[in-house]
Structures are given as C-alpha cells and as structure tokens.
C-alpha cells in the first residue's frame, strides 16, 4: 500500500527556456512581433549607452569630435545607422500599437465564445498590418536618405 | 511602490519618446530627407552646430528630459527581460544593478549636457 | 479488418506516422521518441490515434483523456508544433507525420502526460471565486442581481476549462516559473470584472508585482492556442486597464451588485401546481409556496 501511496515522481520540467522567446514556430504574427520588439529594444538600449558615451566626446574638443564624426561616415557605420533607424522605426510604431492594445483598446469587447471563435488577436490584425505597412514605408524613406541622398 | 507605477511610468516615457525621438531621429539622421521636405537643418553634426545647440536653455532642458525618459524606458525594458530569467530572490539585486547603470549613465549624460551649456 | 469490405471507407483510410514522445520516470532520464503507424479514417482525431496505439500496438503508452469532446481539458498535448487538445485535432489535417509531445513548461509525469500542478497553484492563488464581505459570503440569503450587459463583461473568460494549453504557448512562461500565466491572470479579470464580486483589491494586489501581470507583452500566443475561444490575452489587457485606472484613480467605481429584493408575496396562479413539501422543515422558500 505504501508503494501505491507514494507520489509519482514527475520527470524533468520541460520549460522551453530562452528558446521560447526567440522561436515562434507555428504561432501567429503577434508572436513574431514580440520577438522583434524585444530584439530591437535590446539593440536600442545598447546603442543608447554607446550614444551617451559618443556625445561626450565633444568635451574633448573639436578635433576629437570631428574624427568621431568622420568615422561614422564610413560605410560600416552608415549600414549600422540604417539598421539602428529601422529598429527604432519598428520599435516606435509597434510600441505605439502596444500602448493602445495593452490598455485594452483596439482589441474589441469580450464576446461569447461561439464557434468559429473570433479572438481579439484577429480583430486586432488590421492594426498590425497598418503598423507593418508604415514601418516598411519609413524604413524605405530612411534607406533612400541614408544610401541615396548620402547626406 | 507597486509594480504598476513603474510600468505606467515606462509607458508614459514611451509615449513621450514617440514624439521626442521622432524629432531627434528625423533631424539628426535623416537631414537629407528634411531638405527634400523643405526644412534645411544644415550640417547638424558639425562641432560648431553641436556646441551652439548645447548653449540654448531650451535645448538643454529638452536633452535632459529626453535622456531621462530614454534611459528609464530602456532600462525598465531591460529589467523586464532579465526578470524573466531571474528567480524572485534575485529580483532585488537585478533591480539595483539596473538602477545603478541608469544613474551612472544619466549622471554622465547630464554632466556632458550641462558642461556644454555653461561652455 | 472487416470494415475493409466497405469500399468508401477503405479509400478513406491513409496511414499516418504518429511520433510519440516517450518517457518513463523510473527508467528514463530524458524523453525519447517512438513511431507508430496508424490507419486514419476521415474524422479521426489525434486522441483516437492514441487510443488505437494503446489498444492495438503498444499498451505501455500513457496519455490522459476523459470526455473526448473538448469539455474536460485533460488531453492537452503539444501536437505538430502547437499545443492543442488531442480530442479536437483532426489527425489527417496534420500531414503524414504527426508529432505528439507533452505540453511544454510543465514537468512530465510519463510519456505525454504533463503535471499541471504549476497551473493549479497559480489558479488557486488568485482567489478564483466571488468574494463578498460580511455575512452574505458564508450565509447567503438570495441571489445577486446582474444585468445581461454585466454578464457579458466576463462570461467569455468563464468558459476556461483549465486544460493548461495557454501556459505552454506563453513565451514569458518559457523562462519564468514565477509568472502567473495566462490562465490565472484571465481568471483574475473574470472575477474582478464580475459585478457581484467585492474582492478585487486583494486579487489585483496579488498580480501587481514584479513577476506579475506586467511580464505579459501581448505575444497573443495564449489566445491563438486556446481551444475554447476564451481569449486570455484580451482578459489580461483588460486587467491591465483596470489596474492602471485604479492606480490613476480614473476608474468608474461601483459597489458590488445588490442582493435580490425579498419575495413580493405574489400569489400562485390556480393553474400552476403547488410545489412539493419542503424536504427540510422550515426551509426559507418552501413554506410560502404551500397553498
């Protein structure tokens, strides 16, 4: 009897781990946007620290400042600037959408679950498409400025 | 303080930055496009332009506000990400480290801004 | 194999490879896989396939199921890349190879049976019941009054069957076991948005913590995975709004729904038969109904 009463030992917890953040697999669009939002956010905060350091160079005088700015006009840094800009555009527009959605707007009211289910995520999809179109537009404009106008 | 206050602050900083950062990015990184649109900010990254901007009181206030909002929002987000891999008992240490990084960066950024203002 | 005689059924059968995750806690250190060839007719579900395997191919296979119709929430499994109910998943819609694994983010009891204890722990911690102050909680006198509009504010989230699928889909729970998860948070909203409830303050305080509701980033996976259309993501966002409104002091605050007013002493119409005598002498409503 004691054998039967013994609680069955569960196996190892199959927690997905950080892979669960970066792998969206067969889940929907919002899960991919979550990954991009997280990646762009981490990139931007990393850049902010570099940026704070880099703007401090002006205290060392004009020569040091101009040398740094000249470095930023090399092709590697121009590409880097474009990636940064694309990250910012996406993070800002998607973030704007998330501010509204996380405060309960743009999702629609609760409905009775009658099959086929219409979820808030589906009702919200047009805003996701709008965000993607706008992001694409702004990133294209940035590409035009950074790579074509070459200011 | 409850977590909701910090989160609301982060959301407010985000809303503020949608406006401020759009202006900043537009002027600093897309000056070519601005010229096409009829706004010529000049060579915004030249030493003279940077120092001249820094001597205006409005610009200094703008930059300080901006620095605070960006650091707060960014580091709150970083803490959120790291919290999800930190067990609850490491939470205080994590928050302390992130806060220290934020205060250091703000202090340096504010020092640069104020030094530029006073000349 | 007598069914083969019926031509229509025979052409309707294809062979599906069901790749099942195997794990025995007393002999295995990690999960392995085993392939089974299952003849799949039209309308066959993944649960039907598991039943077939257990009956005809391998009696040692362990899975959990009960109602076979999406009500009990026992058979949540990770099927071909998504967490779903095995009884509601058509096997022939998944291609020639179907993988069946236990729900992620849970400990495994055996084979594809997850230990749902993490979900139950979080669920019970959020006081998932209507809380009323005073005598009414322990010694109720009558029902609470609620309008249909007030009902619709939470009804969708009351359809949760506690299958635990949303916790498998959640990216935050992939790393953070302290996060309450979509199921518990949706139930926090379900009870806090219920006009009969008066326990919102304690319930919201319990999730307004560092590992609480703010670690939801609206990845939407819980809602997409939910087999009952409960939409936990919507409940969580509405809960965020509720807490933010509370903190900023801009929420509309209304007291809990009133108890129904006492009996109006209405007379029974002669064409309606009298109620049977009360089984408990002196019961509240029964005596009034005596002619």
């Amino acid at each position: 009897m004691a054998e039967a009463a013994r609680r069955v030992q569960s196996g190892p917890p199959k927690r997905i781990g950080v892979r669960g953040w970066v792998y969206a697999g067969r889940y929907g669009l919002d899960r991919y946007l979550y990954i991009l939002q997280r990646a762009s956010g981490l990139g931007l905060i990393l850049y902010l620290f570099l940026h704070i350091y880099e703007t401090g160079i002006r205290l060392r005088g004009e020569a040091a400042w101009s040398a740094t700015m000249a470095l930023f006009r090399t092709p590697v840094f121009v590409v880097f600037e474009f990636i940064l800009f694309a990250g910012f555009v996406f993070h800002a527009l998607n973030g704007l959408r998330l501010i509204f959605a996380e405060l309960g707007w743009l999702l629609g009211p609760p409905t009775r679950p009658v099959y086929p289910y219409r979820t808030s995520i589906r009702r919200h999809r047009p805003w996701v498409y709008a965000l993607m179109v706008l992001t694409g537009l702004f990133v294209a404009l940035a590409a035009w400025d950074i790579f074509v106008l070459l200011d | 303080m409850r977590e909701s206050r910090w989160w609301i602050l982060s959301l407010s900083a985000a809303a503020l930055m949608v406006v401020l950062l759009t202006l900043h990015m537009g002027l600093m990184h897309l000056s070519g496009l601005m010229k096409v649109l009829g706004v010529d900010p000049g060579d915004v990254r030249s030493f003279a332009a940077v120092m001249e901007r820094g001597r205006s009181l409005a610009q200094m206030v703008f930059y300080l506000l901006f620095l605070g909002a960006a650091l707060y929002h960014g580091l709150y987000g970083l803490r959120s990400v790291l919290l999800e891999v930190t067990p609850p008992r490491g939470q205080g240490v994590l928050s302390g480290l992130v806060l220290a990084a934020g205060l250091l960066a703000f202090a340096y950024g504010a020092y640069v801004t104020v030094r530029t203002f006073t000349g | 194999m007598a069914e083969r005689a019926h031509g229509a059924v025979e052409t309707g059968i294809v062979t599906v490879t069901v790749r099942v995750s195997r794990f025995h806690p007393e002999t295995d250190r990690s999960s392995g896989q085993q392939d089974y060839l299952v003849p799949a007719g039209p309308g066959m579900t993944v649960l039907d396939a598991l039943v077939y395997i257990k009956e005809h191919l391998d009696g040692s296979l362990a899975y959990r199921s009960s109602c076979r119709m999406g009500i009990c929430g026992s058979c949540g499994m990770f099927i071909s890349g998504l967490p779903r109910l095995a009884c509601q998943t058509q096997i022939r819609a998944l291609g020639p190879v179907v993988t069946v694994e236990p729900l992620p983010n849970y400990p495994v009891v055996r084979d594809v049976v997850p230990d749902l204890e993490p979900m139950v722990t979080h669920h019970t911690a959020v006081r998932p019941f209507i809380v009323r102050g005073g005598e009414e909680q322990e010694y109720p006198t009558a029902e609470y009054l609620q309008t249909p509009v007030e009902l619709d504010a939470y009804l969708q989230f009351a359809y949760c069957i506690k299958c635990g699928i949303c916790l498998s889909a959640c990216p935050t729970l992939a790393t953070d076991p302290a996060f309450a998860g979509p199921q518990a948070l949706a139930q926090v909203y379900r009870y806090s948005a219920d006009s009969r409830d008066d326990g919102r303050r304690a319930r919201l305080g319990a999730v307004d913590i560092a590992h609480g509701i703010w670690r939801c980033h609206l990845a939407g996976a819980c809602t997409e995975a939910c087999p009952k259309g409960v939409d936990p993501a919507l409940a969580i966002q509405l809960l965020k709004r509720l807490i933010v409104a509370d903190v900023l002091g801009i929420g509309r605050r209304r007291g809990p729904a009133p108890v129904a007013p006492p009996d109006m002493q209405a007379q029974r119409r002669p064409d309606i038969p009298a109620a049977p005598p009360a089984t408990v002498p002196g019961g509240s409503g029964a005596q009034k109904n005596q002619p």
Side-chain angles (χ1 to χ4, degrees):
Chain A
M1 286 309 284
E3 189 71 14
R6 189 169 56 95
R7 195 180 183 285
V8 174
Q9 187 67 44
S10 296
K14 289 193 64 170
R15 209 159 277 290
I16 304 173
V18 176
R19 195 169 60 84
W21 297 356
V22 296
Y23 173 74
R26 299 184 59 186
Y27 292 103
L29 200 49
D30 294 68
R31 182 85 181 249
Y32 285 88
L33 294 182
Y34 154 88
I35 297 167
L36 281 176
Q37 185 76 357
R38 184 156 278 211
S40 59
L42 288 174
L44 286 168
I45 184 65
L46 187 71
Y47 171 74
L48 179 62
F49 279 97
L50 292 175
H51 193 44
I52 290 171
Y53 167 75
E54 164 253 312
T55 46
I57 292 173
R58 65 183 160 193
L59 295 185
R60 288 190 233 146
E62 184 163 2
W65 176 263
S66 301
T68 315
M69 286 303 118
L71 177 70
F72 288 165
R73 289 208 172 81
T74 56
V76 175
F77 278 90
V78 168
V79 171
F80 180 64
E81 184 184 0
F82 171 71
I83 294 172
L84 171 80
F85 198 90
F88 156 69
V89 168
F90 172 78
H91 195 86
L93 287 170
N94 193 39
L96 203 58
R97 172 185 77 88
L98 284 173
I99 289 177
F100 284 103
E102 294 200 25
L103 292 174
W105 286 297
L106 314 181
L107 293 171
T111 48
R112 300 204 174 191
V114 178
Y115 199 81
Y117 307 127
R118 292 263 304 152
T119 63
S120 59
I121 299 298
R122 293 252 164 227
R123 286 195 294 268
H124 182 69
R125 221 15 86 75
W127 295 100
V128 171
Y129 293 139
L131 143 88
M132 290 165 79
V133 169
L134 274 177
T135 304
L137 183 72
F138 281 114
V139 169
L141 278 175
W144 183 47
D145 181 289
I146 293 171
F147 297 123
V148 180
L149 294 176
L150 287 176
D151 182 62
Chain B
M1 200 148 93
R2 277 182 173 179
E3 187 69 15
S4 51
R5 315 263 161 102
W6 301 117
W7 188 80
I8 293 168
L9 211 55
S10 178
L11 215 68
S12 313
L16 184 69
M17 282 206 302
V18 169
V19 182
L20 296 184
L21 201 55
T22 303
L23 279 174
H24 172 80
M25 292 297 259
L27 290 172
M28 295 296 140
H29 296 271
L30 295 186
S31 43
L33 205 63
M34 289 292 147
K35 261 179 230 163
V36 175
L37 292 173
V39 187
D40 189 357
D43 187 2
V44 285
R45 296 194 214 175
S46 75
F47 186 70
V50 168
M51 293 312 266
E52 199 202 313
R53 272 204 308 278
R55 286 201 190 88
S56 129
L57 181 68
Q59 288 278 357
M60 186 187 76
V61 173
F62 175 88
Y63 273 121
L64 286 179
L65 191 68
F66 196 11
L67 182 67
L71 274 172
Y72 181 76
H73 179 80
L75 288 174
Y76 182 82
L78 181 67
R79 172 176 166 272
S80 291
V81 172
L82 294 179
L83 261 182
E84 292 172 17
V85 285
T86 312
R89 65 192 139 73
Q91 187 177 304
V93 177
L94 171 68
S95 301
L97 285 176
V98 171
L99 182 67
L103 287 177
L104 273 175
F106 186 80
Y108 180 69
Y111 166 74
V112 171
T113 312
V114 173
R115 268 292 299 276
T116 314
F117 178 67
T118 55
Chain C
M1 291 291 129
E3 294 85 359
R4 287 263 166 104
H6 305 283
V9 176
E10 191 183 55
T11 53
I13 290 182
V14 295
T15 300
V16 174
T17 305
V18 182
R19 189 159 293 157
V20 187
S21 176
R22 300 299 307 267
F23 171 78
H24 194 292
E26 279 160 17
T27 55
D28 299 342
R29 293 186 144 256
S30 61
S31 294
Q33 285 179 338
Q34 197 164 347
D35 284 5
Y36 300 100
L37 295 177
V38 175
M44 189 182 202
T45 65
V46 173
L47 180 60
D48 292 334
L50 294 177
V51 172
Y52 179 90
I53 294 168
K54 193 169 177 73
E55 283 184 355
H56 300 279
L57 305 176
D58 187 351
S60 70
L61 176 69
Y63 56 87
R64 183 162 56 210
S65 73
S66 180
C67 75
R68 319 176 321 285
M69 52 191 225
I71 294 296
C72 73
S74 297
C75 64
M77 295 169 197
F78 199 68
I79 300 166
S80 291
L82 283 178
R84 4 186 184 205
L85 290 180
C87 67
Q88 287 198 322
T89 306
Q90 291 290 315
I91 197 162
R92 292 183 46 172
L94 300 174
V97 180
V98 176
T99 58
V100 181
E101 294 164 65
L103 285 179
N105 302 339
Y106 293 101
V108 182
V109 177
R110 189 177 155 175
D111 293 347
V112 292
V113 181
D115 184 354
L116 296 180
E117 199 251 322
M119 175 191 69
V120 178
T121 306
H122 284 302
H123 177 68
T124 49
V126 300
R127 295 161 71 82
F129 44 84
I130 287 180
V131 176
R132 290 291 283 227
E135 289 282 285
E136 200 61 29
Q137 177 96 41
E138 293 302 322
Y139 304 101
T141 53
E143 70 268 35
Y144 302 115
L145 295 179
Q146 188 166 59
T147 65
V149 172
E150 288 168 337
L151 174 71
D152 273 340
Y154 71 84
L155 184 65
Q156 177 171 27
F157 314 120
Y159 279 81
C160 173
I161 59 171
K162 287 126 201 122
C163 58
I165 280 176
C166 52
L167 277 78
S168 286
C170 177
T172 301
L173 272 164
T175 54
D176 189 358
F179 180 57
Q183 193 276 333
L185 290 172
Q187 293 312 300
V188 171
Y189 184 74
R190 178 253 174 273
Y191 286 98
S192 301
D194 191 323
S195 64
R196 299 168 294 177
D197 177 73
D198 198 19
R200 164 165 145 183
R201 185 162 288 276
R203 220 179 274 119
L204 298 194
V207 296
D208 189 4
I209 53 173
H211 284 272
I213 183 169
W214 312 110
R215 300 289 79 79
C216 163
H217 309 288
L218 189 47
C222 53
T223 284
E224 288 187 277
C226 179
K228 300 304 285 182
V230 169
D231 212 339
L234 176 61
I236 298 171
Q237 309 326 307
L238 293 175
L239 183 60
K240 285 178 187 167
R241 170 195 269 187
L242 204 64
I243 296 177
V244 168
D246 264 11
V247 169
L248 302 180
I250 51 175
R252 271 183 303 167
R253 281 209 151 274
R254 238 184 271 154
V259 170
D263 194 328
M264 301 296 193
Q265 302 299 319
Q267 293 295 309
R268 180 173 59 82
R269 271 166 46 185
D271 54 327
I272 297 175
T279 48
V280 180
S284 60
Q287 263 164 356
K288 285 179 211 141
N289 290 339
Q290 296 294 328

